[in-house]
Amino acid sequence: MSSSKIITLVIALVIGAGLGLFYGWAIAPVEYTDVTPDLLRQDYQVDFVLMTAEAYQNDFDSATAARRLALLGSEPPATFVTSTLEYASANNFTAEELRVLQALLTAMQTYQPDENPAP
Amino acid sequence: MKPFLQNIILQTALALLIGFGLGLAYSWLISPVTYVDATPALLRTDFKDQYRIVIAASYSANQDMARARARLSLLGDTDPVGELSAQAQRMLANGEPFEKARPLAQLATDLQRGYVSEPFTPTPFPTFSTPQAQTSATAAADQPQVNEEATITPIPTVFFEQTPLSTPVTGETSTPRPTFTPTAGPGVPFILTSQDTLCQPAYSRLMQFMFMDARRVQKPGIEINVTWDQGEDKFFTGFKPDLGNGYADFMMEAGTVYNIRIVTGGAFVADITAPTCTDETGAEYPGGLLLTFQQP
């Protein structure tokens, strides 16, 4: 096989691979349907934390609130509330929303997972 | 075969195809597009359930129906109310306490009705025993961006507008007081007031329950225990709000005898079986039942 033929085939292979990548990444990328909450867009995560804070105002159940926040990732629950507070402050959330988030932050900072061990 | 492989056009096309396949394998299998900004509609089913629970818990706290509706719409359910009810039923079927499923049922009911059915009664803030100075110091070390002090601000204890009391009138023009009509409280036992046979194929083997208080207002959250020779089932009213807050149902087996105990309210009905009905062709089939309970 002549060298020109080999070059032609290599070029064809590269072009084919490029087309395959373009098709797989841009035209028909892998569709995720079963994502976890940590992959949610930031504003959705913020709203999730806000809902948790609102619910906490109703039951003052730190364990439940911490368990809900744990859905967002393995970081300490207070970390999520802190970043949510920053987002809320920067995006003109209402004073009431800031207040409930602040209350949840206080609860999460003082929450100890084993403070009420099961008998 | 040899002439085929020697044809440069075919060789090039083959190389293109192989390259395309390799590129596709890389982009789909080895390094697929990673999602970092997913929407709640893409969440896995169990996480969607958790999301609904948090929406309902938040709604229980703030009674903001518009916001709850908007949040539910993010999940992309075709029938959000039905999903709420179904999830509440699933939770109960899995043995979770009614109190955990109640916010879901309450939200489903309110969305169905279009108004908040339970008055909002704010709970007073608890007293935090943790010293605030230490908390703030820890917070400042861990999260230097947050400057707000972790202080507890009081919230109003009275939410409703209170109707002003009328000024006492001492003259002869005072209007007579309304007569007090006693009504049954929540603990008054239910009584089976009617047992109707439903001979329609749509209701075949369906045992329907309807619970009402003394004023014929439907009662949600009534726990019903159905037992038969090979098992038992436990469920609550109010989880199918489209059929009524006091509604619940159970699918019977033909020929099986059921005993029904109303856990919330004490009534007991024994020896219930699916009635026998006859269709237009004369064929027999098991019909349905409607049991109506009411507080005296």
Side-chain angles (χ1 to χ4, degrees):
Chain A
M1 188 180 281
S2 67
S3 60
S4 64
K5 268 190 173 179
I6 293 172
I7 291 169
T8 306
L9 291 178
V10 168
I11 290 172
L13 201 69
V14 170
I15 291 173
L19 288 173
L21 286 174
F22 179 71
Y23 186 84
W25 279 340
I27 297 174
V30 173
E31 282 189 17
Y32 287 80
T33 52
D34 288 336
V35 303
T36 50
D38 58 308
L39 298 177
L40 287 174
R41 211 169 62 199
Q42 188 190 12
D43 52 345
Y44 294 128
Q45 291 199 22
V46 163
D47 194 44
F48 188 85
V49 176
L50 179 60
M51 286 191 283
T52 305
E54 289 168 342
Y56 176 73
Q57 291 301 294
N58 205 33
D59 55 20
F60 296 107
D61 187 342
S62 298
T64 299
R67 210 165 41 243
R68 285 170 177 163
L69 293 173
L71 292 174
L72 296 174
S74 55
E75 295 165 61
T79 309
F80 297 117
V81 189
T82 303
S83 57
T84 299
L85 257 173
E86 290 168 6
Y87 184 96
S89 302
N91 288 277
N92 302 319
F93 277 38
T94 66
E96 173 64 13
E97 289 167 340
L98 292 173
R99 186 189 66 75
V100 297
L101 285 169
Q102 185 63 60
L104 180 62
L105 176 61
T106 305
M108 290 301 100
Q109 284 171 340
T110 56
Y111 171 67
Q112 298 294 324
D114 56 347
E115 64 185 357
N116 293 314
Chain B
M1 194 68 184
K2 209 172 178 184
F4 170 77
L5 289 175
Q6 282 175 348
N7 186 328
I8 187 65
I9 297 173
L10 289 175
Q11 286 172 350
T12 308
L14 192 63
L16 264 172
L17 274 177
I18 292 170
F20 188 81
L22 289 173
L24 212 55
Y26 186 83
S27 60
W28 277 354
L29 303 176
I30 300 170
S31 177
V33 172
T34 52
Y35 271 75
V36 289
D37 287 336
T39 63
L42 297 175
L43 285 172
R44 213 170 62 198
T45 309
D46 54 338
F47 289 124
K48 277 189 176 182
D49 286 351
Q50 292 294 327
Y51 207 93
R52 271 187 220 100
I53 288 172
V54 180
I55 291 172
S58 164
Y59 173 73
S60 293
N62 61 20
Q63 308 284 299
D64 190 339
M65 191 187 295
R67 182 171 263 194
R69 196 188 296 272
R71 282 166 168 166
L72 281 172
S73 71
L74 297 175
L75 291 170
D77 297 326
T78 49
D79 179 14
V81 176
E83 284 293 333
L84 284 168
S85 299
Q87 186 178 340
Q89 289 282 20
R90 280 199 305 274
M91 288 171 72
L92 292 172
N94 291 335
E96 297 202 37
F98 177 68
E99 282 310 310
K100 281 188 80 174
R102 191 174 178 280
L104 291 161
Q106 189 67 54
L107 178 55
T109 304
D110 288 2
L111 288 172
Q112 189 78 29
R113 288 174 170 176
Y115 61 86
V116 179
S117 58
E118 267 197 357
F120 174 58
T121 49
T123 314
F125 261 84
T127 307
F128 290 97
S129 56
T130 310
Q132 291 299 313
Q134 286 179 13
T135 304
S136 298
T138 312
D142 292 345
Q143 291 97 16
Q145 304 91 329
V146 179
N147 296 323
E148 291 101 328
E149 242 182 85
T151 53
I152 310 298
T153 51
I155 57 170
T157 52
V158 177
F159 185 78
F160 291 114
E161 284 184 16
Q162 193 171 4
T163 309
L165 295 172
S166 58
T167 313
V169 180
T170 53
E172 292 180 0
T173 56
S174 61
T175 50
R177 287 167 181 265
T179 309
F180 173 69
T181 309
T183 55
V188 176
F190 286 94
I191 294 170
L192 179 66
T193 55
S194 67
Q195 179 176 330
D196 303 314
T197 299
L198 306 171
C199 277
Q200 294 169 33
Y203 297 126
S204 178
R205 298 191 294 115
L206 190 66
M207 192 192 309
Q208 297 175 293
F209 297 87
M210 183 58 71
F211 286 81
M212 292 177 284
D213 66 11
R215 290 176 293 182
R216 298 189 64 78
V217 176
Q218 294 190 24
K219 300 278 286 180
I222 304 298
E223 186 175 359
I224 305 158
N225 185 223
V226 178
T227 55
W228 60 99
D229 59 349
Q230 289 179 336
E232 70 168 331
D233 196 3
K234 200 179 285 184
F235 47 94
F236 294 81
T237 60
F239 286 88
K240 293 184 177 176
D242 48 325
L243 297 173
N245 281 331
Y247 177 86
D249 58 30
F250 173 82
M251 193 58 78
M252 298 180 282
E253 291 296 329
T256 304
V257 179
Y258 297 93
N259 294 323
I260 297 153
R261 185 169 66 90
I262 312 307
V263 181
T264 321
F268 182 80
V269 183
D271 301 333
I272 298 288
T273 53
T276 303
C277 298
T278 310
D279 64 13
E280 295 112 357
T281 62
E284 290 185 345
Y285 67 94
L289 283 173
L290 172 61
L291 306 176
T292 306
F293 292 84
Q294 193 174 352
Q295 286 176 317

